[in-house]
């Protein structure tokens, strides 16, 4: 082998066109999520970590959605090949022929449904491929229960002979526990040469990529097997039961590393759900039944009580989230307290030391520093200043049946219990609304309003003047 051959560039090829019949879903299998991230996104990240020249993804079912996910993960590295009809893994590679067949590269083939394979393992496969001067290297593992997988059949000398799919295997072959992981490294040109000879002469009437190694061997090419020792890592997801098993595995790993390396306390790790994308700071305490989803960030010293769901949100330091809160796409600064039973959504923002209590919904609204809304309120499309108190039962009436309107409440305001703020409306600084007010017009600063509709009863500044007089 010449030096230039040894350093052939690496291309990665990802099979992701299938629907995944065994998932029993309308959604393409590779779009199903594991740890809050589509399966295909996991595979793309791993592929990217190897520093390949290109990553070619074969798409078919829900191609547009799959392409979107891939672009989000790996952007310009991605190339797509469309497999209009899913006629097997061999056919899936065939559709990229024009893109690859003359390429002087190594082609690392991955499956979109094998999401937890580690970059190190793939690097070892590529190293094995190079050092054994193989034309095709197959990553295999031994499984306790190999049912469903293609079996690696070896000859009397223990060398690779062929791969036989479960459905085509004899009873004797089905006893073999060494399986094909669906991950291979090929000399690209040789792969495409052999591929044109694959026939759909099998139980499923499909073009099998797994026939290529045997064809290569018949041509005198070198085919080897790299037996990996971690079977879980390279197992594929075919059913929802597999998906749940992987979810558990991934979650256990995520939580374990948060405990061991991240200094986070979990009261009951087996009943806590943390996305692999989430970041959680030192000395946080997480109670059972909490879900932290998406790219959420939680600062240091936060306490998150039972049953809270936090999705794609940011929490500062020392935040307390009480039981059963739902927090989506929102931001909570340090020293805030939320809940129990509060709902923050659509870019709700609590500034430093603000507090939101029982049965309060905050939508697309900002609460300034130290502002409190402790009971039974709806705050939507509202901007609320600092140190304001929102009384129990306050509602921003933001919707007139056609459009949404904004409410502006300035600093140091006291909104009385059961106030209806009919937006668009503004309440000036230091003003007070009486209990049960229906505020339909702007309230000037330093005033007390009350009634239905609310009118100014008193200028709070005047009271001071009266005293002086
Ligand atoms: C495949 C292998 C099997 C191996 C197993 C490992 C073949 C024939 N069999 O079987 O030996 O043990 O993976 O997980 O290759 N796909 C396409 N287009 C198609 C068909 C499939 O893109 O026409 C994609 C799927 O979306 C999936 C991947 O290829 O990401 C594997 O397909 P799947 O149907 O899951 O193959 P298995 O039966 O698991
Ligand atoms: Mg599969």
């Amino acid at each position: 082998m010449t030096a230039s051959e040894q350093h052939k560039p690496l291309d990665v090829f990802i099979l992701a066109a299938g629907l995944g019949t065994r998932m029993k879903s309308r959604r393409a299998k590779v779009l199903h999520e594991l740890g809050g991230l589509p399966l295909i996104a996991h595979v793309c990240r791993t592929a990217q970590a190897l520093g390949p020249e290109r990553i070619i993804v074969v798409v078919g079912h829900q191609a547009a959605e799959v392409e979107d996910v891939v672009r989000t993960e790996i952007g310009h590295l991605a190339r797509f090949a469309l497999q209009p009809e899913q006629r097997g893994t061999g056919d899936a590679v065939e559709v990229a022929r024009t893109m690859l067949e003359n390429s002087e590269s190594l082609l690392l083939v991955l499956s979109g449904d094998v999401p937890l394979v580690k970059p190190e393992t793939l690097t070892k496969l590529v190293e094995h491929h190079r050092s054994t001067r193989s034309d095709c290297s197959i990553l295999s593992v031994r499984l306790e229960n190999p049912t469903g997988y293609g079996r690696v059949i070896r000859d009397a000398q223990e060398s690779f002979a062929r791969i036989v799919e479960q459905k085509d295997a004899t009873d004797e072959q089905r006893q073999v526990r060494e399986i094909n992981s669906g991950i291979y490294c090929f000399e690209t040109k040789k792969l495409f040469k052999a591929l044109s000879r694959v026939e759909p002469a099998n139980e499923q009437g499909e073009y099998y990529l797994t026939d290529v190694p045997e064809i290569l061997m018949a041509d005198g090419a070198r085919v080897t097997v790299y037996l990996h020792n971690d079977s879980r890592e390279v197992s594929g997801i075919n059913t929802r039961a597999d998906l749940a098993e992987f979810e558990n595995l991934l979650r256990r790993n995520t939580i374990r590393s948060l405990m061991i390396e991240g200094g986070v306390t979990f009261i009951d790790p087996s009943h806590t759900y943390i996305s692999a994308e989430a970041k959680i700071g030192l000395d946080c305490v997480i109670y059972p039944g909490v879900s932290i989803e998406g790219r959420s960030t939680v600062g240091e010293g936060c306490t998150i009580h039972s049953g809270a769901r936090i999705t794609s949100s940011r929490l500062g330091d020392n935040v307390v989230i009480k039981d059963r809160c739902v927090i989506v796409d929102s931001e909570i600064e340090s020293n805030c307290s939320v809940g129990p039973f509060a709902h923050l959504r659509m870019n709700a923002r609590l500034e430093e030391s603000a507090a939101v209590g029982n049965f309060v919904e905050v939508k697309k609204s900002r609460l300034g520093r130290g502002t409190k809304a402790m009971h039974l309120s709806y705050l939507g499309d509202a901007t609320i200043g600092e140190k304001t108190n929102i009384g129990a039962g306050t509602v921003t009436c933001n919707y007139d049946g056609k459009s949404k309107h904004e409410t502006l409440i300035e600093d140091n305001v006291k909104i009385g219990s059961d106030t209806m703020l009919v937006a668009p409306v503004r309440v000036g600084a230091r003003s007070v609304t009486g209990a049960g007010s229906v505020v339909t017009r702007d309230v000037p600063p330093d005033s007390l309003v009350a009634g239905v509709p609310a009118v100014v009863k008193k200028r709070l500044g005047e009271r001071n003047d009266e005293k002086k007089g």
Side-chain angles (χ1 to χ4, degrees):
M1 186 187 280
T2 65
S4 69
E5 268 175 324
Q6 265 181 2
H7 291 101
K8 279 183 183 168
L10 182 71
D11 285 325
V12 177
F13 193 87
I14 305 177
L15 298 165
L19 172 64
T21 322
R22 287 164 283 179
M23 291 297 278
K24 305 256 190 296
S25 173
R26 295 186 209 290
R27 240 161 118 213
K29 174 162 67 179
V30 298
L31 292 173
H32 280 259
E33 288 187 0
L34 174 68
L37 206 64
L39 297 181
I40 185 68
H42 287 272
V43 181
C44 286
R45 281 188 189 185
T46 307
Q48 188 176 31
L50 302 172
E53 294 280 304
R54 297 177 285 185
I55 298 177
I56 299 109
V57 184
V58 183
V59 293
H61 272 280
Q62 287 149 40
E65 286 97 318
V66 175
E67 287 184 22
D68 276 351
V69 173
V70 171
R71 273 197 210 94
T72 310
E73 284 306 319
I74 56 174
H76 70 280
L77 267 183
R79 306 279 185 285
F80 298 97
L82 182 69
Q83 187 192 23
E85 213 185 309
Q86 282 67 55
R87 303 190 301 169
T89 47
D91 180 62
V93 178
E94 183 63 40
V95 298
R97 180 177 286 277
T98 51
M99 215 184 277
L100 287 166
E101 70 176 335
N102 295 319
S103 174
E104 281 296 341
S105 65
L106 292 186
L107 196 66
L108 178 66
V109 176
L110 307 177
S111 269
D113 65 346
V114 181
L116 293 188
V117 62
K118 295 187 185 125
E120 304 89 83
T121 305
L122 299 174
T123 302
K124 281 188 198 147
L125 173 69
V126 173
E127 277 167 6
H128 159 96
H129 181 89
R130 289 193 160 123
S131 67
T132 56
R133 302 173 174 205
S134 298
D135 298 301
C136 164
S137 311
I138 301 159
L139 185 71
S140 77
V141 280
R142 288 215 174 86
L143 294 186
E144 276 305 312
N145 176 12
T147 310
Y149 287 95
R151 308 296 204 282
V152 173
I153 308 297
R154 294 179 183 253
D155 65 14
Q157 284 75 47
E158 284 295 299
S159 297
F160 173 80
R162 69 185 62 86
I163 297 169
V164 180
E165 290 307 301
Q166 165 89 22
K167 286 189 178 151
D168 306 301
T170 62
D171 284 345
E172 195 188 332
Q173 288 169 330
R174 286 183 186 176
Q175 302 306 310
V176 172
R177 300 216 324 247
E178 184 179 8
I179 63 105
N180 164 33
S181 66
I183 296 171
Y184 328 78
C185 190
F186 289 100
E187 297 296 302
T188 309
K189 277 185 169 175
K190 290 192 180 169
L191 160 63
F192 280 93
K193 212 162 148 239
L195 193 59
S196 47
R197 284 162 51 197
V198 169
E199 299 285 346
N202 51 59
E203 195 57 37
Q204 306 188 79
E206 289 187 355
Y207 293 85
Y208 288 169
L209 180 59
T210 46
D211 286 348
V212 167
E214 199 183 353
I215 295 172
L216 280 171
M217 281 229 300
D219 278 353
R222 187 168 165 73
V223 178
T224 59
V225 181
Y226 175 71
L227 177 61
H228 184 54
N229 54 18
D230 184 348
S231 58
R232 301 297 289 274
E233 187 194 326
V234 296
S235 306
I237 288 179
N238 291 314
T239 64
R240 296 196 198 230
D242 296 336
L243 192 61
E245 215 174 283
F246 273 66
E247 187 75 47
N248 252 314
L249 183 71
L250 186 66
R251 192 174 71 221
R252 275 209 303 274
N253 290 344
T254 305
I255 292 180
R256 202 181 149 70
S257 86
L258 281 169
M259 293 192 289
I260 306 288
E261 283 141 42
V264 178
T265 296
F266 288 87
I267 305 295
D268 183 358
S270 58
H271 292 94
T272 310
Y273 304 84
I274 310 288
S275 125
E277 305 289 281
K279 292 201 167 50
I280 303 181
L282 210 68
D283 290 324
C284 285
V285 179
I286 318 273
Y287 281 78
V290 167
S291 293
I292 300 182
E293 304 177 335
R295 289 179 194 252
S296 293
T297 312
V298 177
E300 294 190 3
C302 296
T303 304
I304 305 182
H305 287 275
S306 297
R309 170 158 75 89
I310 299 171
T311 305
S312 306
S313 295
R314 288 176 69 87
L315 274 59
D317 298 333
N318 306 312
V319 170
V320 178
I321 307 292
K322 296 178 189 166
D323 311 59
R324 314 282 160 189
C325 291
V326 176
I327 297 164
V328 182
D329 297 327
S330 293
E331 188 170 348
I332 300 170
E333 291 184 3
S334 297
N335 305 309
C336 287
S337 142
V338 176
F341 301 99
H343 187 187
L344 272 57
R345 61 188 179 97
M346 280 178 83
N347 201 20
R349 260 193 78 187
L350 305 192
E351 292 179 356
E352 179 97 29
S353 305
V356 156
N358 316 256
F359 302 102
V360 174
E361 177 179 355
V362 183
K363 181 221 111 183
K364 220 175 170 183
S365 294
R366 183 166 66 84
L367 273 64
R369 291 165 74 97
T371 284
K372 293 186 166 49
M374 299 309 287
H375 327 269
L376 299 156
S377 288
Y378 172 61
L379 302 171
D381 305 293
T383 305
I384 304 172
E386 296 181 3
K387 295 193 184 124
T388 280
N389 190 72
I390 308 291
T394 295
V395 172
T396 53
C397 311
N398 60 334
Y399 188 48
D400 60 13
K402 283 200 200 103
S403 353
K404 298 278 164 69
H405 301 282
E406 293 184 9
T407 299
L408 179 66
I409 302 172
E410 295 179 347
D411 297 345
N412 297 296
V413 168
K414 291 186 176 49
I415 300 290
S417 296
D418 212 16
T419 296
M420 300 294 121
L421 296 152
V422 183
V425 74
R426 176 191 193 108
V427 181
R430 298 170 300 280
S431 284
V432 177
T433 69
S437 307
V438 176
V439 181
T440 55
R441 279 186 289 162
D442 287 358
V443 175
D446 302 294
S447 338
L448 166 69
V449 297
V452 181
V455 293
V456 177
K457 300 285 184 190
K458 201 187 251 180
R459 295 304 303 265
L460 297 173
E462 284 166 16
R463 192 174 60 176
N464 292 339
D465 293 346
E466 272 168 28
K467 270 188 196 161
K468 269 184 221 154

